Amino acid sequence: MRLRVKYLGIESGRKPVVTLSVDDAAELGIRSGERLRLRFKEYTINAIVNIATKSVRKSVIGVYDEVIKSLQLKEKDIVDVEPASPPLSLQYIRNKLRRRKLNYEEILEIVKDTVAGNLSEVEMAAFVIALEQQGLDLDEATNLTVAMVETGQHLEIDKKPICDKHSIGGVPGDKTTLLVVPIVAAAGLIIPKTSSRAITSAAGTADRAEVLMPVNLSVEEMKRVVGKTNGCFAWGGSLHLAPADDVFVQVEYPLSIDPMLLPSIMAKKRAVHANFLAIDIPTGRGTKVKTIGDADLLAKDFIELGRRLEIKTQCLISYGEQPIGHAIGPALEAREALRALQGYNVPDLIDKAVHLCGLIFGMAGKGDERLARDILKSGKAGKKMREMIGQQGGNPNIKPDDIDVGEHRIEVKSERAGTLLWLDNNLLVEIARAAGAPRDKKAGILLQKKIGEKVKKGESVVEIYSEKATKLGLAEKITYEARPFGVGERMEMRIRDVKEIPIARKAFILER
Amino acid sequence: MRLRVKYLGIESGRKPVVTLSVDDAAELGIRSGERLRLRFKEYTINAIVNIATKSVRKSVIGVYDEVIKSLQLKEKDIVDVEPASPPLSLQYIRNKLRRRKLNYEEILEIVKDTVAGNLSEVEMAAFVIALEQQGLDLDEATNLTVAMVETGQHLEIDKKPICDKHSIGGVPGDKTTLLVVPIVAAAGLIIPKTSSRAITSAAGTADRAEVLMPVNLSVEEMKRVVGKTNGCFAWGGSLHLAPADDVFVQVEYPLSIDPMLLPSIMAKKRAVHANFLAIDIPTGRGTKVKTIGDADLLAKDFIELGRRLEIKTQCLISYGEQPIGHAIGPALEAREALRALQGYNVPDLIDKAVHLCGLIFGMAGKGDERLARDILKSGKAGKKMREMIGQQGGNPNIKPDDIDVGEHRIEVKSERAGTLLWLDNNLLVEIARAAGAPRDKKAGILLQKKIGEKVKKGESVVEIYSEKATKLGLAEKITYEARPFGVGERMEMRIRDVKEIPIARKAFILER
């Protein structure tokens, strides 16, 4: 069939998409979501079909920007179209729905087509949901990891050994990486750290680091910075180390599922050729992993998967029932981390950083966490941080007090005296996000108290910062609808009465 | 945030969709697939967000046709937007992914939002895939059936009892309904039959009946025809009896899954207030249900679900390893059915029709299949069919030979002498569809032989008809790449050698 091109003036994001009239689609025997093979001059492409009842007339084909580019089309060009078979990977996805284990070649094909945009939303969703419902065994996790690496960029650094650190996330205010990287680099080990921006949290490491220096590094820039300083802070998103993961996230996020936690993390470590990897598993109420038993199971999987990928892996199961340090939100956290690097005491933050460095040093045969504490105390880590900031194009002389935080501020005070008994991680994140974080870098929360500290009646426990008064208002509203902390003499017995069927909601933490 | 309207000139099909620039989306803290609340004058609507890197600039909102209509927008109008919460039904879908049984209110909410277009593709896919992976128990099947009925139109007929017939599909050439309806109606029972068009087959009952008469009846027209003749042939698609089903099919079809088989069928029966229902379960290689044991299990579910819905249900487990009668394709089948109604002997077709009528007559206390055979033989069924054709606006005097079939024709001949040992249902359907069926009504297949008949060398076994020479060529090509029948003295032992890992494909039959 020959159809006349109509520019739609929209892009689909990744996939080549075309729009057909109901009549032409019926004539071709094609349904919405199926594929059409388009030919124009020497160019050929398969595109996914939308069907329009109105906006595209018979004998016309509406084309998205991606198709215009691939086929070099002009308005009113005539293209040849015919029904195209779905990609082989769709057959593999159907087999997965039938509970068949997929082999490496099959997984690779699915991942390739995911990256190339050859699968529709529904088809890709089916793969992710099937994995979530059936679970991945270690073979599939290994194969998926390797396939994600195979379809992305790699970082080749000729120094050895390469160290890395990762947190599965879930604790607000976790700026530990901002300490770990300079400590490890100052010890003479290589740590080309890639980090993500926040997805569900109030700040990702990339968001925090960006307050101090540019993080949109290319692979080449990353190599240069690591060459000079042994370490770096790069935003993973611009590096395309495992681009499939970014696509899968688009399904996982709305559904609150995270079946690819392990492959997603390990792919990025393998792509930088990590030799030694320390993984932080924050554990407890309000984190991803609720019990120490579950944390052990997860650690086992990480270590075993690491072994298969030739990445020596060790895990820290860490206390996660309250934020790390006092600050939540990019600028507030960057300021706190910089202070800690300059000798200011933030006990839980420093403990966690040196525990993780201890694991890395142990694996690399460098020593243990005492070395990490020495490097931090001696100021070597702070100096290393400034070198890295300078090399990445930030101001190496920046002082903590130079870092601006939101000018709109409220204090949330305790209505009674007692001990701070609990902090609600998820609610604190919700408040910080309502205040503008992570997009508004200066927005966030400063805790005046941590669990176990004495609180006077009327004393401030939580301070909220925002760049805009309207957003502060939203954050304040949430705070007064559901209190993010509890003060008293002892834990109260009643968590909640349930008198009718509740709408069960589960807080969801998705970080990469 | 206030944004300027830009018409995109495209429709989404159902869902209200808008396109935001990357900047505005980030400022609003919104990701692709999340929702925005739009306000314009007195109108308010929630829309699903696409994010554009290029086609929509900052401060502009691209709107799909559905949004223009709902908000009565003009180009360059200014709309107020703010992030909107996802619908409650998404929370229920997430809970289903967590393997929780859903109650009626929850299922109803999901079905309502499906029909209203409040769920994104991925969210709706998650519901369908979770049902497929976890299976529905009878409670959920009942609730889903009732929810589908609740969200659609009903047919109110004051005569009783109302009878109905359904085949789960999977056998080509199954024009049984064209006989059952006039036989039942001629017996004085009410049978307001709604049928579907083909999805994966070469003809649906609506496609076949449409060769003889218009089938796009409204609920009112359907009532009128049933009032005059006791029966009708209506296309279900225009009646919106269970509109959610049409949306779910868009997920099921590309993934080759059919988790809602029972609710989808039973919802349409309940919407016409059926009292007695006969269900045909074609069984055997090349059909949906491969073994008699599986057919029994399915029959049990139908009967039990029927009991809960107050529809007395009985099933016919029927032989399905070859087409019914000789004709496949709308016009060829309509012609064969009309001949059978006029006394021409098509033994398997007539047997199947009277078996099903026997079940209905038994439930209605009218008699058994002997009555059905009498009604057919006496010509009363043929007369009733002509009444119905006339009432629906067709030509009541149409003769079988008036029905045109495709003018392009080839014969597929046997290369050896022997007995016809097998016919490949799925391949016959593929050939008929390549020849143009069901869209080209005159395209299809005429079998010259059926299983067990003697075939001479060079004798024609399969005739293919097409309206267009090019399509006939495609059909012929398939025929010679994979033979649709086997002739010999005895079944051959080798079905296929497998010397390397095969790409497992499963034929998929989706009919409604």
Side-chain angles (χ1 to χ4, degrees):
Chain A
M1 187 179 285
R2 293 165 63 80
L3 300 172
R4 200 172 66 252
V5 167
K6 176 187 173 185
Y7 280 17
L8 293 175
I10 48 176
E11 74 256 55
S12 63
R14 175 180 297 268
K15 289 179 278 294
V17 177
V18 297
T19 302
L20 290 186
S21 66
V22 175
D23 284 343
D24 290 332
E27 176 63 28
L28 286 160
I30 265 202
R31 294 171 65 94
S32 184
E34 293 191 299
R35 276 100 178 153
L36 213 51
R37 187 156 192 79
L38 276 67
R39 260 199 318 261
F40 179 68
K41 293 183 180 163
E42 70 270 33
Y43 307 107
T44 312
I45 194 183
N46 282 10
I48 292 172
V49 173
N50 279 346
I51 296 177
T53 50
K54 225 172 49 180
S55 54
V56 170
R57 292 197 320 278
K58 193 164 159 41
S59 306
V60 170
I61 184 167
V63 293
Y64 281 59
D65 290 357
E66 288 82 357
V67 175
I68 295 174
K69 206 176 150 199
S70 298
L71 294 183
Q72 307 268 307
L73 293 173
K74 289 194 306 297
E75 189 99 28
K76 298 198 178 166
D77 276 338
I78 301 294
V79 291
D80 261 308
V81 307
E82 59 179 21
S85 303
L88 259 187
S89 57
L90 176 55
Q91 195 55 53
Y92 302 144
I93 292 172
R94 288 177 184 156
N95 290 343
K96 186 72 211 165
L97 287 173
R98 289 158 68 195
R99 298 177 192 283
R100 303 311 305 243
K101 185 164 162 172
L102 299 178
N103 67 23
Y104 176 67
E105 287 72 22
E106 292 166 337
I107 289 177
L108 179 63
E109 196 69 22
I110 293 170
V111 172
K112 270 187 188 165
D113 279 333
T114 298
V115 173
N118 290 336
L119 292 168
S120 73
E121 295 279 286
V122 165
E123 292 158 355
M124 208 184 50
F127 178 60
V128 175
I129 296 165
L131 289 185
E132 204 275 334
Q133 294 284 291
Q134 297 171 26
L136 284 81
D137 68 18
L138 220 44
D139 288 342
E140 285 177 315
T142 310
N143 289 333
L144 185 55
T145 306
V146 176
M148 280 185 179
V149 175
E150 201 58 37
T151 48
Q153 289 210 50
H154 296 210
L155 180 76
E156 308 290 346
I157 290 180
D158 41 18
K159 297 193 201 171
K160 290 265 161 195
I162 292 179
C163 303
D164 215 332
K165 174 264 175 188
H166 196 90
S167 170
I168 66 159
V171 189
D174 196 349
K175 69 278 299 172
T176 310
T177 301
L178 295 188
L179 274 63
V180 169
V181 171
I183 294 173
V184 171
L189 296 170
I190 311 302
I191 182 161
K193 185 77 184 87
T194 65
S195 302
S196 55
R197 297 190 186 281
I199 302 178
T200 56
S201 74
T205 293
D207 301 312
R208 298 172 185 115
E210 201 172 35
V211 174
L212 305 171
M213 61 195 124
V215 295
N216 281 12
L217 307 186
S218 66
V219 167
E220 284 315 302
E221 288 167 328
M222 195 172 162
K223 282 173 77 167
R224 187 185 55 74
V225 175
V226 174
K228 298 258 185 192
T229 69
N230 292 349
C232 71
F233 287 97
W235 174 47
S238 55
L239 294 169
H240 306 288
L241 297 180
D245 193 47
D246 300 336
V247 189
F248 293 137
V249 164
Q250 294 169 16
V251 173
E252 294 164 339
Y253 179 77
L255 300 178
S256 296
I257 59 176
D258 189 8
M260 300 186 187
L261 174 69
L262 275 90
S264 156
I265 291 171
M266 295 306 271
K268 286 157 196 166
K269 305 311 173 193
R270 168 106 164 195
V272 300
H273 300 286
N275 303 107
F276 303 119
L277 170 62
I279 291 186
D280 176 26
I281 305 179
T283 301
R285 200 166 80 158
T287 69
K288 267 191 203 178
V289 178
K290 312 300 178 198
T291 71
I292 296 168
D294 285 344
D296 270 333
L297 285 174
L298 186 59
K300 173 176 177 289
D301 286 344
F302 269 119
I303 291 168
E304 179 65 32
L305 182 55
R307 191 175 297 158
R308 291 177 179 219
L309 297 166
E310 297 178 352
I311 303 171
K312 170 91 176 150
T313 303
Q314 293 182 351
C315 300
L316 171 69
I317 298 176
S318 65
Y319 177 76
E321 299 199 354
Q322 68 176 336
I324 308 301
H326 291 82
I328 301 168
L332 287 155
E333 294 192 45
R335 191 173 71 176
E336 185 171 46
L338 208 55
R339 283 181 178 153
L341 284 165
Q342 293 193 338
Y344 187 90
N345 192 21
V346 189
D348 57 348
L349 170 61
I350 290 173
D351 280 358
K352 190 164 166 174
V354 300
H355 294 332
L356 285 161
C357 291
L359 291 180
I360 293 172
F361 291 164
M363 286 186 281
K366 267 270 171 188
D368 60 20
E369 65 181 70
R370 283 169 299 181
L371 172 62
R373 212 174 282 272
D374 287 347
I375 290 174
L376 185 64
K377 272 200 182 155
S378 67
K380 282 186 205 155
K383 186 160 163 283
K384 179 57 79 178
M385 186 68 163
R386 290 181 183 287
E387 274 176 42
M388 291 165 57
I389 293 173
Q391 285 297 332
Q392 291 195 197
N395 169 17
N397 304 314
I398 189 167
K399 293 189 199 71
D401 290 341
D402 295 341
I403 298 172
D404 282 343
V405 298
E407 58 178 312
H408 301 276
R409 195 176 72 90
I410 50 164
E411 295 182 347
V412 187
K413 294 172 178 165
S414 176
E415 288 167 356
R416 49 174 162 166
T419 303
L420 184 64
L421 295 169
W422 54 265
L423 287 158
D424 183 331
N425 279 344
N426 295 312
L427 196 57
L428 288 170
V429 169
E430 201 184 321
I431 293 165
R433 287 177 70 100
R439 164 86 174 166
D440 298 344
K441 288 230 155 44
K442 302 173 192 171
I445 287 173
L446 209 51
L447 301 175
Q448 299 300 316
K449 301 283 176 183
K450 297 205 56 174
I451 293 174
E453 293 180 15
K454 287 288 166 203
V455 180
K456 293 181 194 138
K457 186 175 173 185
E459 198 175 10
S460 170
V461 176
V462 168
E463 274 179 24
I464 310 172
Y465 290 78
S466 182
E467 296 180 13
K468 291 173 189 155
T470 51
K471 291 190 179 177
L472 189 67
L474 284 176
E476 188 176 8
K477 186 161 168 276
I478 294 169
T479 310
Y480 288 101
E481 280 170 2
R483 285 249 139 180
F485 60 84
V487 171
E489 289 313 312
R490 58 173 183 85
M491 293 297 284
E492 284 162 30
M493 280 317 298
R494 174 163 55 198
I495 293 175
R496 192 196 286 152
D497 289 335
V498 181
K499 296 187 176 172
E500 53 186 45
I501 294 173
I503 294 166
R505 293 176 198 273
K506 193 183 175 198
F508 178 63
I509 299 157
L510 185 71
E511 295 304 330
R512 287 294 158 85
Chain B
M1 187 180 286
R2 292 166 64 81
L3 300 171
R4 200 172 65 253
V5 166
K6 176 188 173 186
Y7 279 17
L8 294 175
I10 48 177
E11 75 255 56
S12 63
R14 174 180 298 267
K15 289 181 278 293
V17 177
V18 296
T19 302
L20 289 187
S21 66
V22 175
D23 284 344
D24 289 333
E27 177 62 30
L28 287 160
I30 265 204
R31 295 171 64 93
S32 184
E34 293 192 301
R35 275 101 179 152
L36 213 51
R37 187 157 193 79
L38 277 67
R39 259 199 318 262
F40 179 69
K41 292 182 180 165
E42 71 268 34
Y43 307 107
T44 312
I45 193 182
N46 282 9
I48 292 172
V49 173
N50 279 345
I51 296 178
T53 51
K54 225 172 50 179
S55 55
V56 171
R57 294 197 320 278
K58 192 164 158 44
S59 306
V60 170
I61 184 167
V63 293
Y64 282 58
D65 290 358
E66 288 83 357
V67 176
I68 295 175
K69 206 177 149 199
S70 296
L71 293 182
Q72 307 267 309
L73 293 174
K74 287 193 308 294
E75 189 98 29
K76 299 198 177 166
D77 275 339
I78 301 293
V79 292
D80 261 308
V81 307
E82 60 180 20
S85 303
L88 258 187
S89 57
L90 176 56
Q91 194 54 53
Y92 303 144
I93 292 172
R94 289 178 184 155
N95 290 343
K96 185 72 211 166
L97 286 173
R98 290 160 65 196
R99 298 176 191 284
R100 302 312 305 242
K101 186 165 163 172
L102 299 178
N103 66 23
Y104 175 68
E105 287 71 22
E106 292 165 336
I107 289 177
L108 179 63
E109 196 69 22
I110 294 170
V111 171
K112 270 187 188 164
D113 278 332
T114 298
V115 174
N118 290 335
L119 292 168
S120 74
E121 296 277 288
V122 165
E123 292 158 355
M124 209 184 49
F127 178 59
V128 175
I129 296 166
L131 289 185
E132 204 276 333
Q133 294 282 292
Q134 298 170 26
L136 284 81
D137 68 18
L138 221 43
D139 287 341
E140 286 177 314
T142 309
N143 289 333
L144 185 54
T145 306
V146 176
M148 281 185 179
V149 175
E150 201 58 36
T151 48
Q153 289 210 50
H154 296 210
L155 179 77
E156 307 291 346
I157 290 180
D158 41 17
K159 296 194 202 171
K160 291 262 161 195
I162 292 178
C163 303
D164 215 332
K165 176 264 176 188
H166 197 89
S167 171
I168 65 159
V171 189
D174 197 349
K175 68 278 299 171
T176 312
T177 301
L178 296 188
L179 274 64
V180 169
V181 171
I183 293 173
V184 171
L189 295 170
I190 311 304
I191 181 161
K193 184 77 185 87
T194 66
S195 302
S196 54
R197 298 190 186 280
I199 303 177
T200 56
S201 73
T205 293
D207 302 310
R208 297 172 186 115
E210 201 171 34
V211 174
L212 305 171
M213 61 195 124
V215 296
N216 281 12
L217 308 184
S218 66
V219 167
E220 284 315 303
E221 287 166 329
M222 195 173 163
K223 283 173 76 165
R224 187 187 53 75
V225 176
V226 174
K228 297 259 184 190
T229 70
N230 291 349
C232 72
F233 287 97
W235 173 48
S238 54
L239 294 168
H240 306 287
L241 297 180
D245 193 46
D246 300 334
V247 189
F248 293 137
V249 163
Q250 294 168 18
V251 173
E252 294 165 336
Y253 179 77
L255 300 178
S256 295
I257 58 176
D258 190 8
M260 301 187 187
L261 175 69
L262 276 90
S264 156
I265 291 172
M266 296 305 273
K268 288 157 196 166
K269 305 310 172 192
R270 169 105 163 194
V272 301
H273 299 287
N275 303 106
F276 303 118
L277 170 62
I279 291 186
D280 176 26
I281 305 179
T283 302
R285 199 166 79 159
T287 68
K288 267 190 204 179
V289 178
K290 313 299 178 197
T291 71
I292 296 168
D294 285 343
D296 270 333
L297 285 174
L298 186 59
K300 173 176 178 289
D301 286 343
F302 269 119
I303 291 169
E304 178 67 31
L305 182 54
R307 190 175 296 158
R308 291 177 180 218
L309 298 165
E310 296 177 353
I311 303 171
K312 169 93 176 149
T313 303
Q314 294 181 352
C315 300
L316 171 69
I317 298 176
S318 65
Y319 177 75
E321 299 199 353
Q322 67 176 336
I324 307 302
H326 291 82
I328 300 168
L332 286 155
E333 295 193 45
R335 191 173 72 177
E336 185 171 45
L338 208 56
R339 281 182 180 153
L341 285 165
Q342 292 194 337
Y344 186 89
N345 192 21
V346 188
D348 58 347
L349 170 62
I350 290 172
D351 279 0
K352 190 165 166 175
V354 300
H355 294 333
L356 285 161
C357 290
L359 292 179
I360 293 171
F361 290 164
M363 287 185 280
K366 266 271 172 187
D368 59 21
E369 65 180 70
R370 283 170 299 183
L371 172 63
R373 212 173 281 272
D374 288 347
I375 291 174
L376 185 63
K377 272 199 183 155
S378 67
K380 283 185 205 155
K383 186 159 164 284
K384 178 57 77 177
M385 185 66 163
R386 291 181 183 289
E387 274 177 42
M388 290 166 57
I389 292 173
Q391 285 297 331
Q392 291 195 196
N395 168 16
N397 302 315
I398 190 167
K399 292 187 201 71
D401 291 340
D402 295 341
I403 297 172
D404 283 342
V405 298
E407 56 178 314
H408 301 276
R409 194 177 71 92
I410 50 163
E411 294 184 347
V412 186
K413 293 172 178 164
S414 176
E415 289 168 355
R416 50 174 160 165
T419 303
L420 183 65
L421 296 170
W422 54 265
L423 287 159
D424 184 330
N425 278 343
N426 295 312
L427 196 56
L428 288 170
V429 169
E430 201 184 321
I431 293 166
R433 287 177 70 101
R439 165 86 172 168
D440 298 345
K441 286 231 155 47
K442 301 173 192 172
I445 286 174
L446 209 51
L447 300 175
Q448 299 301 315
K449 301 283 175 184
K450 298 206 56 177
I451 294 174
E453 292 182 14
K454 288 290 166 201
V455 180
K456 293 183 195 136
K457 185 175 172 185
E459 198 176 10
S460 170
V461 176
V462 168
E463 275 180 23
I464 310 171
Y465 290 78
S466 183
E467 297 180 13
K468 290 173 190 156
T470 50
K471 291 190 177 178
L472 189 66
L474 284 175
E476 189 176 6
K477 186 159 169 276
I478 294 169
T479 310
Y480 288 101
E481 279 170 4
R483 285 250 138 178
F485 60 83
V487 171
E489 289 313 312
R490 58 174 183 84
M491 293 298 283
E492 284 162 30
M493 279 318 298
R494 174 162 55 198
I495 293 175
R496 193 195 286 152
D497 290 335
V498 182
K499 296 187 176 173
E500 53 187 42
I501 295 172
I503 294 164
R505 292 176 198 274
K506 193 184 175 197
F508 178 63
I509 298 158
L510 184 72
E511 296 303 331
R512 286 296 158 84

